[in-house]
Amino acid sequence: MTFSIEHTDNVSNARAGRILTDHGEILTPIFMPVGTVGSVKGIDVRMLENDVKAQIILGNTYHLYLRPGLDILERAGGLHRFNGWNHPILTDSGGFQVFSLAENRKLTEEGAVFRSHIDGSKHLFTPENVMDIQRKIGADIIMAFDECTPGTAEYDYAKNSMERTQRWLLRCVKRFDETEPLYDYSQTLFPIVQGCVYPKLRSESAKFVADLGRDGNAIGGLAVGEPTEKMYEMIEVVNAILPVDKPRYLMGVGTPDNILEAIERGVDMFDCVMPTRNGRNGQLFTYEGTINIRNSFWADDFSPIDSTSDCWADRYYTKAYLHHLIMCDELLGLELASLHNLAFYLRLVGDARQHIVNGDFIEWKRSVVDNLKRRVKR
């Protein structure tokens, strides 16, 4: 994997870059639709390519390990061939999912023992076998196994957790470097910065990660309960240390305004379940704000879902029709709302990139960010 910075903003730390993988290029800033179990909920690969215009999607090690299982994925030739997505894939190591199973997991120095949410069966994730699992899944970018600390953790807990993550990271790097890809393309490993909301810990973790000199780096453990301003502060602390010439991935973030604020602070890559999860609940993200399509106001609004969108469904179907579908719990409604939100997120980061190239990113961001945060009330 290679990364090059093509344009930088004169006022902020925003930058427009290009990541090149064996499965194609990724223009940054970029948003990655979340395909937890190998599919983005309700959206097939043709929609992802043609309507959403996704360049990379995310899969999850924990879920794919449990279902369909590594044997099926390896026999298929990896996740790309299994799900038909012929573009880059990133896999989350499963750390967040494992550590969210607070009642059904136990941490040791060796790794994390957990019970499946599906059948209660017992499993062990270690830094070594998580590297092996992700080799078998076959993502282009794989993540180190870390402990995701809650945003409200006390300092001593956060420090011990970060230090364990560092020890695990060294084991991840060793295992990754002594193994080879199983399929006919290369893979790369991103370490993850932790440290909760404590600048000293974040700085220490970022320095530790930066010194490893990997192809890219991730910022984890944010948007997990801490105040939004604290999240922005931690991004600034970390990005002041992480190498400028490597892509920076902010994990699990976030709302449209969160994304623009993070781009301003030098982040290149994002993922979040909000576009599809909120879409299934009838929330549509737009440049005018968030629309609750369940509101009865939209029942007789026969204007397009979004006439400014490049997505054909946004221009073809009306708000009234989408309101009807969502109120009836019709599957097509969930699909259209998810499709709209994903297309909007990719449009948002694409617009941000263009304004970085044009040299007016900050002016543009200031002109749209307040609207992005508001709820459209009719």
Side-chain angles (χ1 to χ4, degrees), residues 282-302:
Q283 287 190 324
L284 307 182
F285 296 104
T286 78
Y287 270 124
E288 300 305 313
T290 303
I291 290 174
N292 179 3
I293 202 67
R294 290 180 172 272
N295 191 309
S296 61
F297 173 86
W298 308 109
D300 61 354
D301 186 327
F302 302 109

Side-chain angles (χ1 to χ4, degrees), residues 155 162 198-205 237:
Y155 181 87
M162 181 203 71
Y198 303 103
K200 180 180 178 181
L201 297 182
R202 284 285 175 180
S203 296
E204 181 181 338
S205 181
V237 168

Side-chain angles (χ1 to χ4, degrees), residues 154-160 162-163 166 193-207 234 237-238:
E154 297 293 333
Y155 181 87
D156 287 346
Y157 180 95
K159 183 175 187 295
N160 291 334
M162 181 203 71
E163 290 173 348
Q166 291 177 344
V193 175
Q194 289 289 350
C196 197
V197 295
Y198 303 103
K200 180 180 178 181
L201 297 182
R202 284 285 175 180
S203 296
E204 181 181 338
S205 181
K207 178 68 164 54
M234 294 304 102
V237 168
V238 169

Side-chain angles (χ1 to χ4, degrees), residues 60 62 92-100 125 144-148:
N60 183 263
Y62 166 83
D92 181 347
S93 70
F96 177 81
Q97 285 70 29
V98 168
F99 299 116
S100 67
F125 272 3
F145 189 54
D146 65 327
E147 179 181 356
C148 183

Side-chain angles (χ1 to χ4, degrees), residues 1 45 179 240 349:
M1 190 202 85
V45 295
T179 57
V349 293

Side-chain angles (χ1 to χ4, degrees), residues 18-84:
R18 186 181 303 264
I19 298 171
L20 187 62
T21 76
D22 288 347
H23 277 103
E25 69 176 13
I26 306 159
L27 301 179
T28 65
I30 193 63
F31 179 82
M32 299 179 284
V34 176
T36 303
V37 296
S39 69
V40 178
K41 287 189 185 298
I43 310 295
D44 73 18
V45 295
R46 293 164 299 180
M47 295 175 180
L48 287 171
E49 291 174 337
N50 300 326
D51 300 313
V52 173
K53 295 181 171 57
Q55 300 172 44
I56 176 174
I57 63 172
L58 181 145
N60 183 263
T61 293
Y62 166 83
H63 290 282
L64 292 167
Y65 162 79
L66 293 176
R67 291 187 301 198
L70 300 181
D71 180 59
I72 293 294
L73 288 170
E74 194 169 4
R75 285 161 57 192
L79 182 57
H80 293 88
R81 291 174 183 163
F82 187 62
N83 71 359

Side-chain angles (χ1 to χ4, degrees), residues 78-300:
L79 182 57
H80 293 88
R81 291 174 183 163
F82 187 62
N83 71 359
W85 176 254
N86 296 316
H87 306 283
I89 296 176
L90 178 148
T91 41
D92 181 347
S93 70
F96 177 81
Q97 285 70 29
V98 168
F99 299 116
S100 67
L101 300 171
E103 303 298 320
N104 293 299
R105 54 88 172 162
K106 178 181 179 181
L107 299 184
T108 68
E109 190 61 27
E110 182 182 10
V113 179
F114 64 93
R115 292 195 177 276
S116 164
H117 71 286
I118 300 167
D119 60 9
S121 56
K122 191 175 181 180
H123 304 269
L124 170 67
F125 272 3
T126 68
E128 291 80 11
N129 72 16
V130 165
M131 295 298 96
D132 296 343
I133 291 167
Q134 290 184 87
R135 286 290 200 194
K136 291 180 179 179
I137 294 171
D140 301 86
I141 301 172
I142 73 178
M143 304 307 298
F145 189 54
D146 65 327
E147 179 181 356
C148 183
T149 312
T152 56
E154 297 293 333
Y155 181 87
D156 287 346
Y157 180 95
K159 183 175 187 295
N160 291 334
S161 172
M162 181 203 71
E163 290 173 348
R164 178 188 285 126
T165 287
Q166 291 177 344
R167 293 191 296 272
W168 283 358
L169 175 56
L170 293 178
R171 290 164 58 189
C172 286
V173 169
K174 181 176 184 297
R175 184 64 160 211
F176 181 85
D177 287 348
E178 66 189 15
T179 57
E180 296 291 334
L182 299 179
Y183 311 115
D184 57 351
Y185 53 88
S186 62
Q187 295 174 288
T188 194
L189 170 66
F190 280 22
I192 302 173
V193 175
Q194 289 289 350
C196 197
V197 295
Y198 303 103
K200 180 180 178 181
L201 297 182
R202 284 285 175 180
S203 296
E204 181 181 338
S205 181
K207 178 68 164 54
F208 187 90
V209 162
D211 286 347
L212 292 174
R214 309 309 294 193
D215 291 333
N217 301 297
I219 306 170
L222 293 176
V224 288
E226 79 284 356
T228 301
E229 289 307 316
K230 183 61 70 171
M231 175 176 72
Y232 297 151
E233 179 190 346
M234 294 304 102
I235 293 171
E236 291 172 3
V237 168
V238 169
N239 280 351
I241 297 170
L242 291 181
V244 173
D245 62 343
K246 304 290 178 65
R248 299 159 174 165
Y249 163 33
L250 180 59
M251 305 179 74
V253 178
T255 63
D257 57 293
N258 289 159
I259 288 175
L260 292 190
E261 295 290 352
I263 289 173
E264 179 181 343
R265 290 162 171 81
V267 174
D268 306 293
M269 303 170 68
F270 303 87
D271 81 283
C272 189
V273 297
M274 287 188 73
T276 48
R277 178 178 291 171
N278 288 35
R280 295 194 303 273
N281 291 319
Q283 287 190 324
L284 307 182
F285 296 104
T286 78
Y287 270 124
E288 300 305 313
T290 303
I291 290 174
N292 179 3
I293 202 67
R294 290 180 172 272
N295 191 309
S296 61
F297 173 86
W298 308 109
D300 61 354

